[in-house]
Amino acid sequence: MEEKTAKSLNFIEEIIEEDLKNQVYDGRVHTRFPPEPNGYLHIGHAKSICLNFGIAKKYNGMTNLRFDDTNPVKEDVEYVDSIKEDIRWLGFDWEDRLFYASDYFNELYNYALILIRKGKAYVCDMTADEISETRGTLSRPGKESPYRNRPVEENLDLFTRMRNGEFPDGSSVLRAKIDMASPNMQMRDPVLYRILHTSHHRTGDQWCIYPMYDFAHGQSDSIERITHSICTLEFEVHRPLYDWLIREIGIYAPRQIEFARLNLSYTVMSKRKLLELVQEGKVTGWDDPRMPTICGLRRRGYTPEAIRNFADIIGVAKRDNVIDVSLLEFCIREDLNKRSNRVMAVINPLKVILDNYPEDLTEEMEAINNPEDESRGKRKVPFSRELYIEKEDFMEIPSQKYFRLSPGKEVRLRSAYIIKCESFVKDPSTGEITEIHCTYDPKTRSGMPESNRKVKGTLHWLSVKHAIKAEIRLYDRLFMKENPDEAVEGKDYKDFLNPDSLKVITGQIEPSILRANPGDKFQFERIGYFCVDKDSAGNNLIFNRTVTLKDSWVKIGKNQ
Ligand code: ATP
Ligand code: MG
């Protein structure tokens, strides 16, 4: 924690402190998070949320939530609601500052009229294809539209009629009149308004022309008197256009600062692709625990603290880069280590019979809930003659460094006794080991002096007759390829889906688990971190694996 205060400023904070020093915005810091409600938020958005709300908090400022809802075709209230829920869950509060770009449709329309009257915007009747064909390329200037020099009066008349619904979709657009030869393609008479006879989720049928994102975004920031408009790098080339619009309209100018968007290895982040995965049934929904969405991460068992810490650790960069997803996994492990109670669960059971243990006896063993946090206390775990251990914790012929159970060897059962393997039963037809016979040493009960006797292996275990069955969903990374977005001839990102990203098994858990509720998080000792799924209820217990105890991808990745 000390480290945090000592941390040097990032480049955005440097700019802000400079502005504060120079009283550029009267000492105000006012940011916004401006999602388009056309999908669920993902971990990249979380980065932007933490940045915008975090900076405002640091400088006693404010943050608006603004829905950039200028495209009625793709937007929906379902997304609006989920976005609000996710931001709150992450731990941020926009208080009474919830806005919609659609609230500004009147102002934006009036700004368009200002530009037309100044001769800075014109109605163009070219088709979308013609407009893109005449835009030119980076090395070749564009061609001016034949409608570019329409008189102001004609533009005013046509734009009003566009707004009144006299023309069909696509028949004309309003364009800024800037420079068709500009080296910046964004400045080549960009489209400001288009005709769309489509109902909007908020304004209904009030409008049949809608502002383009580029016309709405900067002006919305201006209307809300945002001081620092933080956005991702791809908007750097749009900045001259935003500045031009603000200047020509003659309104308050925020400062735009660009940072590199978060990219994660083994992950796709574009909303279009995430929607495709949902629509094509590659995942079970936006909140599938394999999705990089905030609701997916939540269902997977991620905590807001871990995500915020991740956002903090990665910082802000000025150049595009890819963050290793194992860093995100590290953050959740670290958080859950402190936060989650331990329980014993066996996911691949092998029966152990203690031949010298009384038939009807059940003992209550005391187990520590969280060795990292004494205040979490202890619980009782029942112990009896027949136990489960993991199959992989027994080897008939142990390899050199195998310190778990094998014939003639001793191991410690966590919080219980030291046991010794006397014999085992093998299915003659399959060769599978079906049962282990052991003896226990009553003097080694946990807590008694002889329990400290040196044995190398410690295993987790369950009492067969007390174990609770549960569905356990073993999630893994959704993609096998480090960069699934990378263009590979004849393939797309969906060809790199990991066929083993979900394995469903029936496991056994200690009975204390019956007190758990959906969302509760546990460390299954020696196995990993798990949380109770939202659909888990009554006898139908469902657990999602959040993350394994150790990074199992390190080696695999290196061999590729
Ligand atoms: P996508 O490309 O996934 O569709 P988007 O940028 O179109 O995302 P918006 O809803 O417009 O999605 O994003 C809202 C805010 O979140 C914007 O300010 C955007 O810059 C930011 N943002 C989106 N993706 C990322 C990311 N990967 N890293 C950081 N910030 C992001
Ligand atoms: Mg966007």
Side-chain angles (χ1 to χ4, degrees):
M1 282 294 115
E2 280 89 343
E3 242 177 48
K4 235 180 189 167
T5 43
K7 222 161 92 175
S8 58
L9 300 179
N10 66 45
F11 76 94
I12 298 178
E13 292 166 338
E14 275 172 11
I15 295 173
I16 289 177
E17 295 207 355
E18 191 63 23
D19 283 349
L20 283 173
K21 202 173 78 197
N22 297 328
Q23 286 286 311
V24 177
Y25 296 102
D26 315 320
R28 289 186 310 123
V29 173
H30 200 149
T31 59
R32 84 287 173 267
F33 175 65
E36 192 184 341
N38 61 353
Y40 283 66
L41 296 183
H42 52 60
I43 181 78
H45 295 114
K47 168 71 214 173
S48 175
I49 292 167
C50 292
L51 185 60
N52 279 293
F53 282 90
I55 279 192
K57 195 167 174 198
K58 177 167 180 179
Y59 295 104
N60 281 320
M62 292 183 282
T63 306
N64 295 358
L65 170 59
R66 180 174 70 241
F67 287 101
D68 256 323
D69 54 349
T70 52
N71 184 1
V73 182
K74 289 190 174 165
E75 294 161 4
D76 199 279
V77 277
E78 176 197 346
Y79 299 134
V80 169
D81 294 340
S82 76
I83 289 170
K84 290 200 262 184
E85 184 186 352
D86 290 347
I87 299 173
R88 282 202 198 98
W89 179 77
L90 275 174
F92 299 105
D93 186 2
W94 55 89
E95 296 169 333
D96 58 351
R97 293 177 306 280
L98 168 62
F99 302 110
Y100 294 83
S102 56
D103 294 339
Y104 311 137
F105 281 173
N106 268 320
E107 277 104 323
L108 293 170
Y109 181 76
N110 288 327
Y111 293 158
L113 292 177
I114 292 175
L115 292 179
I116 296 173
R117 287 200 194 95
K118 283 181 78 175
K120 298 289 183 181
Y122 60 97
V123 173
C124 177
D125 302 344
M126 293 204 290
T127 63
D129 284 343
E130 286 166 342
I131 291 178
S132 92
E133 278 159 24
T134 50
R135 244 179 123 213
T137 63
L138 281 177
S139 53
R140 188 164 43 81
K143 248 175 54 195
E144 293 191 351
S145 159
Y147 307 100
R148 196 172 199 263
N149 295 314
R150 272 178 163 156
V152 168
E153 285 313 313
E154 191 181 332
N155 281 320
L156 280 175
D157 174 59
L158 286 172
F159 188 56
T160 315
R161 288 167 61 196
M162 273 169 69
R163 188 237 186 286
N164 291 342
E166 287 186 33
F167 309 119
D169 287 4
S171 57
S172 51
V173 293
L174 184 74
R175 294 177 73 176
K177 190 170 174 179
I178 310 179
D179 179 6
M180 287 306 289
S182 169
N184 182 339
M185 302 286 288
Q186 311 299 325
M187 302 297 272
R188 294 186 185 174
D189 291 11
V191 174
L192 305 181
Y193 262 95
R194 66 231 198 269
I195 302 173
L196 274 178
H197 290 269
T198 303
S199 289
H200 185 280
H201 67 103
R202 283 181 61 83
T203 56
D205 292 324
Q206 233 178 304
W207 295 89
C208 62
I209 56 170
Y210 289 95
M212 300 301 287
Y213 180 84
D214 275 349
F215 189 65
H217 190 77
Q219 278 68 263
S220 299
D221 281 344
S222 172
I223 292 168
E224 293 176 14
R225 301 190 75 76
I226 298 304
T227 57
H228 299 87
S229 170
I230 301 168
C231 60
T232 42
L233 278 183
E234 69 271 26
F235 290 101
E236 194 170 4
V237 288
H238 297 239
R239 179 158 26 100
L241 170 60
Y242 295 171
D243 289 347
W244 184 91
L245 288 166
I246 293 274
R247 199 171 54 241
E248 294 298 339
I249 298 166
I251 49 178
Y252 165 88
R255 178 199 291 273
Q256 175 170 308
I257 308 171
E258 302 89 10
F259 74 103
R261 65 171 44 230
L262 167 64
N263 299 303
L264 269 186
S265 61
Y266 298 98
T267 309
V268 300
M269 213 106 86
S270 118
K271 280 188 275 191
R272 181 183 65 74
K273 289 178 181 169
L274 297 178
L275 177 64
E276 215 167 69
L277 292 173
V278 172
Q279 284 173 339
E280 293 181 15
K282 307 283 186 202
V283 293
T284 57
W286 285 99
D287 70 346
D288 186 300
R290 291 165 293 183
M291 291 280 271
T293 50
I294 296 180
C295 55
L297 291 167
R298 176 164 65 229
R299 189 169 177 188
R300 177 88 171 243
Y302 274 73
T303 60
E305 292 84 354
I307 295 175
R308 293 200 304 259
N309 188 34
F310 171 70
D312 201 34
I313 289 176
I314 58 177
V316 285
K318 279 191 209 182
R319 292 285 153 257
D320 274 321
N321 59 5
V322 180
I323 302 287
D324 194 330
V325 72
S326 56
L327 182 61
L328 178 63
E329 293 163 352
F330 166 83
C331 289
I332 187 62
R333 262 187 212 110
E334 200 188 45
D335 189 52
L336 291 178
N337 182 39
K338 289 180 279 179
R339 188 182 297 281
S340 62
N341 283 352
R342 276 54 172 162
V343 292
M344 290 196 277
V346 173
I347 59 176
N348 201 4
L350 173 62
K351 208 182 239 185
V352 170
I353 296 157
L354 303 179
D355 291 325
N356 63 338
Y357 194 90
E359 292 258 0
D360 311 322
L361 182 62
T362 297
E363 288 180 275
E364 298 283 348
M365 299 301 179
E366 269 206 331
I368 293 170
N369 284 331
N370 187 333
E372 304 285 321
D373 179 1
E374 219 176 286
S375 73
R376 285 174 176 258
K378 294 178 176 173
R379 67 186 187 287
K380 299 260 196 302
V381 188
F383 186 89
S384 66
R385 189 170 192 264
E386 295 197 1
L387 305 171
Y388 288 130
I389 62 166
E390 295 289 347
K391 267 208 174 99
E392 61 169 40
D393 284 339
F394 177 80
M395 252 181 131
E396 183 181 350
I397 303 160
S399 51
Q400 232 187 14
K401 289 206 167 151
Y402 192 83
F403 299 123
R404 295 176 253 169
L405 204 56
S406 56
K409 291 278 161 56
E410 282 193 328
V411 292
R412 183 189 315 277
L413 295 179
R414 167 97 81 217
S415 312
Y417 294 101
I418 293 175
I419 62 168
K420 182 175 178 187
C421 174
E422 309 287 354
S423 63
F424 57 90
V425 180
K426 203 186 231 182
D427 180 330
S429 57
T430 60
E432 197 190 349
I433 289 164
T434 53
E435 208 171 274
I436 314 274
H437 286 266
C438 295
T439 48
Y440 85 112
D441 181 348
K443 295 191 298 299
T444 59
R445 182 173 166 151
S446 176
M448 287 167 56
E450 286 205 35
S451 67
N452 294 330
R453 199 166 85 213
K454 207 163 164 105
V455 282
K456 280 206 167 141
T458 300
L459 308 186
H460 61 278
W461 52 271
L462 294 173
S463 158
V464 170
K465 64 180 171 204
H466 299 98
I468 306 294
K469 263 205 179 88
E471 176 178 329
I472 297 181
R473 299 176 179 170
L474 299 172
Y475 289 107
D476 204 342
R477 294 177 185 171
L478 187 53
F479 290 94
M480 301 177 289
K481 191 167 176 285
E482 205 170 321
N483 177 4
D485 286 317
E486 188 180 52
V488 176
E489 211 182 306
K491 297 202 179 229
D492 81 346
Y493 70 100
K494 281 176 284 182
D495 294 315
F496 304 116
L497 282 163
N498 177 5
D500 299 320
S501 62
L502 170 59
K503 232 168 36 202
V504 182
I505 58 161
T506 301
Q508 310 277 344
I509 314 180
E510 63 171 71
S512 73
I513 206 71
L514 289 173
R515 295 194 291 266
N517 295 307
D520 285 357
K521 297 162 178 62
F522 298 93
Q523 185 195 91
F524 289 1
E525 294 219 34
R526 301 179 60 229
I527 300 179
Y529 293 100
F530 289 77
C531 80
V532 186
D533 189 68
K534 64 168 195 189
D535 291 338
S536 182
N539 290 332
N540 184 28
L541 288 174
I542 307 169
F543 284 80
N544 298 324
R545 179 167 71 195
T546 310
V547 70
T548 50
L549 278 188
K550 293 206 180 88
D551 188 347
S552 54
W553 282 70
V554 179
K555 278 190 221 104
I556 303 170
K558 287 213 172 105
N559 291 341
Q560 269 175 352

